[in-house]
Amino acid sequence: MQPTQTAARLICRVREPGKEDTNMQARGPLMIEHRLIERMLSVIKDVLTEIKSKNKVDPVFVDIAVDFIRVYADRTHHGKEEDILFRELTNKSLSTKDRQAMNELIEDHVFGRQTTKALVDANSRYRNGDEAALTDIAEKLQTLVEFYPKHIEKEDKVFFPASRAYFTDEEDQAMLAEFWEFDRKVIHEKYKSVVQDLEA
Ligand SMILES: [Fe+2]
Ligand SMILES: [Fe+2]
């Protein structure tokens, strides 16, 4: 088991329906989400090997990977980090080092979005018959599988433990409650946008 997995298990037990886990800290759900993102990256790695050996890709797989990255990794996960954790940290007197680390994480999120957008563009070209776009698809997928684990490690091992020190237990629990509420809204936001897109 990876050290980060061990840490996640120590601080976050899975909630039983109807029961709040009073031992969970706010970073618990974020670390659990990191584990699912890692599993998706592992799937993407396998597909990359296939792309290289077969010299083709299923554009539907790319659509699924993009949906996962945009809705889960970016909106649901980065959303909680940026809209709640980072927002709360901007009200604290962060050390220069921690402030720089937070800014770097925000830049990483932007980089992830740009890479995903380029992946969507390449997939659309590939789908329309541009076989040369396969190289771009593979390159963007490769970028994502190399970049995300480093980002996750910075958060799990350095930034989350460091940022926890700025919050009281009550503040941490208030963020956790806001995380659950944030998650609850995402599914509605997602499918409202699906219907709006179809209507348009
Ligand atoms: Fe992040
Ligand atoms: Fe994260």
Side-chain angles (χ1 to χ4, degrees):
M1 190 183 289
Q2 297 295 314
T4 49
Q5 287 177 310
T6 314
R9 284 183 187 205
L10 282 173
I11 61 167
C12 24
R13 288 201 303 252
V14 174
R15 285 191 308 169
E16 290 171 40
K19 275 190 181 175
E20 289 295 331
D21 184 339
T22 51
N23 291 326
M24 188 181 278
Q25 297 187 28
R27 67 180 134 155
L30 299 177
M31 293 176 77
I32 290 172
E33 287 162 10
H34 283 168
R35 304 292 78 80
L36 191 66
I37 293 168
E38 285 168 344
R39 286 169 62 190
M40 187 61 181
L41 294 174
S42 175
V43 171
I44 294 175
K45 260 188 203 167
D46 291 345
V47 170
L48 267 168
T49 307
E50 254 184 63
I51 292 175
K52 281 167 196 158
S53 66
K54 296 182 180 164
N55 212 31
K56 63 177 184 178
V57 69
D58 180 356
V60 175
F61 169 77
V62 180
D63 289 339
I64 294 168
V66 164
D67 184 72
F68 177 88
I69 294 164
R70 283 187 163 167
V71 180
Y72 188 78
D74 197 37
R75 184 66 192 124
T76 310
H77 179 76
H78 296 162
K80 287 201 285 298
E81 290 174 348
E82 292 184 359
D83 297 0
I84 300 170
L85 174 61
F86 297 174
R87 178 201 69 200
E88 290 302 312
L89 283 167
T90 56
N91 298 325
K92 304 286 181 184
S93 300
L94 295 190
S95 70
T96 307
K97 183 170 166 265
D98 291 335
R99 189 165 297 281
Q100 278 171 352
M102 186 168 81
N103 289 338
E104 199 180 298
L105 294 172
I106 294 169
E107 283 168 22
D108 284 353
H109 292 174
V110 172
F111 177 74
R113 280 170 207 135
Q114 288 167 343
T115 307
T116 308
K117 181 171 185 316
L119 176 63
V120 170
D121 292 345
N123 197 37
S124 158
R125 281 187 281 123
Y126 184 74
R127 198 174 242 133
N128 290 328
D130 177 3
E131 288 188 17
L134 184 64
T135 311
D136 290 336
I137 292 175
E139 192 189 294
K140 299 308 168 198
L141 289 174
Q142 187 68 41
T143 300
L144 291 170
V145 299
E146 285 173 9
F147 143 82
Y148 262 114
K150 290 181 198 151
H151 178 81
I152 285 173
E153 192 173 354
K154 278 191 270 184
E155 291 181 337
D156 280 353
K157 293 187 178 167
V158 182
F159 190 73
F160 289 168
S163 61
R164 178 63 184 86
Y166 292 99
F167 298 109
T168 63
D169 290 348
E170 289 72 23
E171 287 171 331
D172 189 67
Q173 287 301 300
M175 275 194 300
L176 178 63
E178 203 175 345
F179 282 174
W180 298 136
E181 182 62 12
F182 187 96
D183 282 350
R184 197 182 64 74
K185 288 179 181 164
V186 168
I187 188 81
H188 301 285
E189 181 184 293
K190 157 79 180 167
Y191 286 100
K192 192 174 171 188
S193 100
V194 167
V195 172
Q196 280 172 342
D197 286 351
L198 290 171
E199 285 171 344

